[in-house]
Amino acid sequence: MILQRRNSAVVLLLLMLFSMPGCTKTEAPAPVVPKPQMTEQEVARKMQQIRLDKYKEKFGSIQGAIRNYPERYDEWILHLEDMIYAAEGTAYAVKAQKLLDEQIQVRESAGKKHLEQIASRVKSLMAEGDPLAAERELDKFDPDDTFGKTGAHQEWLNLCEQVDKRQRAEVEFDRITRRARAYRRQEELAAAIGLLESFSSDYKNTKEYEEVRTTIDEYLVEYKATRSAQAAELAIEWEDLTIDSYLSAFRASASDPDAEVWTEDGGEVVGNNSSSGPAQLEIGEDSWEEYVVELEIQLVAGDAVNLGITAGMRPGSALKKYDVHSFDADEEEWIRMRIELKEGLVSITDLDSLDALGENTRPYFPMGGLAILLRPEDAVRVRNIRYKVFRPAEGEEPIEGEEPVEGEEPIEGDAEEEEAEG
């Protein structure tokens, strides 16, 4: 028992000794083997491979997107341009450039096709004479600026210029032709032709330009004929009517044959109608078809100056009748006037102011001279009378005028008719 306790004490002591520092044997740590270091060239190659793998992945992604969404070529062009910049100097930049060229051609073809559809409608609208609608159609071409770098964009700009030019041509054409027609109505053909000639040659190849040139040719023919006629008229000398005491150059008459209405005083014709009926002083012949008469007239008494221009017999009447033209005048004022019958129209002009004394009218009777007409209590003085007769010309037979239709009245706008004994 005592021995057993002694052995336990010995074991305990030994354990205490072994647990004390320095009394145990430690194993040496395992040696650390250093990893091999990469050279700069190996690092560069590895980084390059990583970049190439990324470009390969990106290029494949773009290829797949193009196959799935071919209509989004504008988006793929932007991605490919970015990739070419980033992958410069690599095979993937070359591949991306090739794919970019293909997408650019796809965009070019799409732009051309779209423009062809637009252009077809635009040309149709232009042919219909509606350039405003054509302009609205052009606005539909590229609202998102997709085709700004394509050939179709330049063709679109050219088409826009054509439409704009056509609009300008129409506006200028309307302005110029309207004024030219006004000049023509005023018998100012030279001014009309000069105005038409100002239509810009920038508008060549438009229908408006062709119409202007055609109108110029027509006006030139008319102008030459007018100049020829004017030259012939200018060659005709004025004939002065002598005012003598017998008034032998006139046909003076009154409804009362015993009334003395017309007399001569100091080289002037004096008309004073104190009778109860109308009186007239006729100038010219019934055969006159085209002529001009100039005279001076003074209203001495009465409400208006009355002229009978052209005359004839109405069906069923034995009395000579006139187309009457009346206009106001201040008493005692001398009025210089020109009376013309040309091309079937009567015109009366104040030679001092060059104002028209009434509108041009087409007379009921196609020929005949003129007459100073006096109503009862009217009085006038007339002087300095001269004339030119264009038709019938000397030695020319007068052309018989159209017979008026029975019951026909003077055209609206003509003056009232006056009746007197023939």
Side-chain angles (χ1 to χ4, degrees):
M1 183 75 159
I2 297 172
L3 180 61
Q4 185 178 1
R5 292 180 177 173
R6 187 178 294 172
N7 288 339
S8 300
V10 172
V11 172
L12 179 62
L13 179 62
L14 288 174
L15 289 173
M16 292 176 60
L17 288 173
F18 281 121
S19 63
M20 292 180 62
C23 293
T24 57
K25 185 178 180 180
T26 59
E27 293 183 1
V32 177
V33 180
K35 294 182 179 180
Q37 296 292 322
M38 297 177 66
T39 66
E40 292 183 1
Q41 291 81 2
E42 290 174 332
V43 171
R45 283 195 296 271
K46 186 170 184 178
M47 295 301 296
Q48 178 68 6
Q49 186 60 47
I50 292 172
R51 288 177 58 209
L52 291 175
D53 290 343
K54 287 174 61 177
Y55 296 151
K56 179 180 180 181
E57 181 182 356
K58 184 174 183 179
F59 183 74
S61 176
I62 294 174
Q63 280 185 314
I66 290 174
R67 285 193 296 269
N68 293 328
Y69 306 101
E71 72 283 354
R72 292 164 59 179
Y73 41 80
D74 203 48
E75 183 178 344
W76 312 142
I77 286 173
L78 292 176
H79 285 302
L80 287 167
E81 288 175 341
D82 290 342
M83 183 175 178
I84 291 169
Y85 177 78
E88 184 178 3
T90 70
Y92 289 102
V94 176
K95 292 181 178 181
Q97 182 63 58
K98 182 179 179 182
L99 190 55
L100 174 64
D101 294 340
E102 292 175 0
Q103 289 302 296
I104 288 174
Q105 187 56 49
V106 169
R107 182 176 64 181
E108 190 76 32
S109 300
K112 183 177 181 181
K113 181 178 180 180
H114 185 43
L115 180 63
E116 286 174 351
Q117 296 171 345
I118 294 286
S120 176
R121 293 193 291 270
V122 166
K123 290 176 182 178
S124 176
L125 290 168
M126 292 289 285
E128 295 170 5
D130 195 351
L132 286 175
E135 185 178 36
R136 290 193 293 270
E137 192 67 28
L138 282 170
D139 290 340
K140 302 176 183 178
F141 170 63
D142 193 15
D144 300 325
D145 197 24
T146 301
F147 306 116
K149 296 180 180 180
T150 66
H153 179 77
Q154 185 58 51
E155 292 181 21
W156 174 77
L157 290 176
N158 295 338
L159 193 57
C160 288
E161 174 60 24
Q162 292 176 28
V163 172
D164 182 61
K165 181 185 292 186
R166 176 65 180 277
Q167 286 182 289
R168 297 196 309 270
E170 282 194 0
V171 171
E172 188 67 2
F173 175 81
D174 290 341
R175 183 186 71 84
I176 283 182
T177 54
R178 184 170 57 252
R179 291 180 58 196
R181 287 192 296 269
Y183 279 132
R184 182 173 178 265
R185 286 193 297 270
Q186 297 165 8
E187 299 184 356
E188 298 181 20
L189 283 166
I193 292 170
L195 182 62
L196 291 170
E197 287 286 2
S198 70
F199 194 69
S200 176
S201 59
D202 292 342
Y203 303 133
K204 281 184 177 179
N205 302 322
T206 66
K207 70 180 184 64
E208 287 78 13
Y209 187 84
E210 296 303 321
E211 287 184 26
V212 166
R213 301 312 306 177
T214 299
T215 304
I216 289 174
D217 292 340
E218 293 172 355
Y219 281 16
L220 277 173
V221 171
E222 192 173 339
Y223 174 72
K224 290 176 182 179
T226 301
R227 285 294 300 270
S228 177
Q230 288 175 344
E233 291 177 3
L234 290 173
I236 300 174
E237 295 184 359
W238 285 99
E239 297 285 345
D240 294 316
L241 282 181
T242 303
I243 300 176
D244 54 28
S245 57
Y246 299 102
L247 299 180
S248 54
F250 307 90
R251 295 192 300 278
S253 61
S255 58
D256 182 357
D258 296 327
E260 185 178 14
V261 176
W262 303 99
T263 58
E264 180 270 340
D265 179 24
E268 298 176 0
V269 176
V270 177
N272 187 0
N273 188 11
S274 57
S275 71
S276 59
Q280 58 276 336
L281 181 73
E282 295 184 57
I283 301 170
E285 304 296 334
D286 292 340
S287 61
W288 285 8
E289 296 178 38
E290 292 192 348
Y291 59 86
V292 56
V293 175
E294 292 183 358
L295 55 82
E296 295 180 50
I297 189 167
Q298 181 189 66
L299 180 63
V300 178
D303 297 328
V305 172
N306 297 298
L307 300 178
I309 305 173
T310 73
M313 298 291 186
R314 286 291 185 102
S317 173
L319 298 177
K320 190 175 187 179
K321 298 182 179 181
Y322 298 92
D323 273 344
V324 177
H325 297 253
S326 301
F327 53 90
D328 297 332
D330 296 331
E331 290 189 5
E332 309 301 328
E333 176 189 3
W334 283 99
I335 301 175
R336 295 176 60 239
M337 67 174 62
R338 176 185 295 127
I339 302 101
E340 290 185 271
L341 174 61
K342 293 183 67 176
E343 298 180 357
L345 291 177
V346 171
S347 62
I348 307 173
T349 306
D350 185 324
L351 291 177
D352 291 321
S353 66
L354 297 181
D355 292 334
L357 298 173
E359 297 182 357
N360 294 355
T361 58
R362 189 173 299 279
Y364 181 80
F365 302 103
M367 64 178 66
L370 64 91
I372 312 297
L373 305 175
L374 297 182
R375 294 186 174 94
E377 307 303 325
D378 284 355
V380 296
R381 297 180 73 92
V382 188
R383 67 187 184 191
N384 297 332
I385 305 170
R386 64 176 188 167
Y387 68 89
K388 286 185 179 184
V389 178
F390 309 123
R391 292 182 60 199
E394 186 176 354
E396 179 183 333
E397 290 294 327
I399 300 175
E400 185 178 355
E402 295 179 0
E403 290 296 327
V405 178
E406 187 171 357
E408 182 181 357
E409 294 300 323
I411 298 173
E412 183 178 351
D414 283 356
E416 62 180 299
E417 68 175 38
E418 183 74 21
E419 183 176 304
E421 292 183 0

